[in-house]
């Protein structure tokens, strides 16, 4: 299954790595009191968009 969706898999993997690196860098810049709620909002928006997808 992943073999037929190589481009999608590569984009998702690259996004995951980029998000991890960026999140790690932001930990030193922003307080946990700001960063964790912001990430929770991003995840919530993503979940709503996925639930609405037909």
């Amino acid at each position: 299954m992943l073999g037929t969706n190589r481009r999608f898999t590569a984009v998702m993997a690259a996004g995951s790595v980029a998000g991890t690196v960026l999140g790690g860098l932001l930990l030193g810049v922003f307080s946990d009191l700001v960063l964790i709620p912001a990430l929770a909002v991003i995840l919530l928006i993503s979940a709503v968009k996925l639930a609405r997808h037909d």
Side-chain angles (χ1 to χ4, degrees):
M1 178 125 184
L2 288 179
T4 59
N5 297 313
R6 285 182 193 258
R7 183 170 186 242
F8 174 75
T9 304
V11 169
M12 291 297 290
S16 178
V17 170
T20 301
V21 170
L22 185 60
L25 292 173
L26 289 176
L27 276 175
V29 176
F30 292 103
S31 165
D32 289 349
L33 295 175
V34 174
L35 194 57
I36 292 176
L39 294 174
V41 168
I42 291 170
L43 286 174
L44 183 61
I45 291 169
S46 177
V48 168
K49 288 179 74 172
L50 183 62
R52 289 184 177 180
H53 187 268
D54 289 327

